[in-house]
Amino acid sequence: MRHIWKGLVLFFAFVLDTTLGTYIEVFGIAPSFLLVCVVAMAMVTTPAEAGIYGFIAGAFMDVYWGRVFGFYTLLFLYSALMARAFLEFVYKNTPTITAGITFASSLFCNTILCLLRFTVWGEGNFLYALFRLIIPTAAYTAIVQMLLFYPISILAKPKEERRTRL
């Protein structure tokens, strides 16, 4: 049942990205709620579950935005797995550490997207995108991660584990 709820949270974050994102833009920059949820869930689950949630989130993005099916799926899958792997080096999972990992994940995802647009599809200016879009988007997403860290991490933990901490 817990996995169904997590899937619904990912779907809700996807809907927020596609609908609410335009209303909370700051200078044309909107955070990625889906990436926030994927990284938060990856930080409190096993590596296999983190990969599954990254895969599901990427599939949502591929269905809606993708030029080639599987690109966003692999991008979110690798982001979730890298976030989970980085947690192995850190002693404690805190909102600031998770925000830093979210910043790095967002930077990774958006840089890959921009490099592919710039080199393969011949669209855009990479340096402009790096300083005006990629870094501000990563910072905004990290701030949103800090705000949503506790609700997502409480939801992502098993029911038995939530009872023992109360």
Side-chain angles (χ1 to χ4, degrees):
M1 187 66 180
R2 172 175 58 108
H3 301 296
I4 293 171
W5 283 110
K6 287 181 185 181
L8 289 174
V9 166
L10 288 175
F11 182 73
F12 181 68
F14 169 71
V15 170
L16 281 177
D17 272 351
T18 57
T19 57
L20 186 67
T22 58
Y23 295 108
I24 59 171
E25 285 182 348
V26 176
F27 300 114
I29 306 296
S32 173
F33 291 107
L34 195 57
L35 187 64
V36 166
C37 289
V38 166
V39 171
M41 287 181 186
M43 301 295 275
V44 294
T45 60
T46 64
E49 287 181 21
I52 290 169
Y53 298 134
F55 182 86
I56 291 169
F60 285 148
M61 292 295 283
D62 271 332
V63 167
Y64 194 72
W65 293 107
R67 285 185 180 182
V68 178
F69 190 79
F71 176 72
Y72 285 103
T73 303
L74 288 175
L75 199 60
F76 275 79
L77 172 73
Y78 291 147
S79 294
L81 291 176
M82 285 190 300
R84 180 65 190 154
F86 184 76
L87 185 64
E88 301 295 327
F89 297 113
V90 181
Y91 174 68
K92 191 175 180 184
N93 188 8
T94 63
T96 53
I97 290 173
T98 306
I101 293 171
T102 303
F103 180 84
S105 294
S106 180
L107 198 65
F108 169 73
C109 289
N110 290 327
T111 302
I112 295 294
L113 279 170
C114 189
L115 281 175
L116 281 177
R117 281 189 191 133
F118 181 67
T119 58
V120 175
W121 295 308
E123 299 172 0
N125 182 355
F126 179 71
L127 289 178
Y128 173 81
L130 180 67
F131 292 109
R132 296 290 182 156
L133 298 174
I134 296 172
I135 294 174
T137 301
Y140 194 13
T141 303
I143 291 168
V144 169
Q145 173 70 41
M146 290 182 75
L147 297 174
L148 297 177
F149 174 77
Y150 287 114
I152 293 172
S153 63
I154 287 171
L155 178 69
K157 292 180 184 174
K159 194 174 191 179
E160 300 82 29
E161 199 173 313
R162 280 185 264 160
R163 285 186 192 157
T164 59
R165 293 199 176 190
L166 292 178

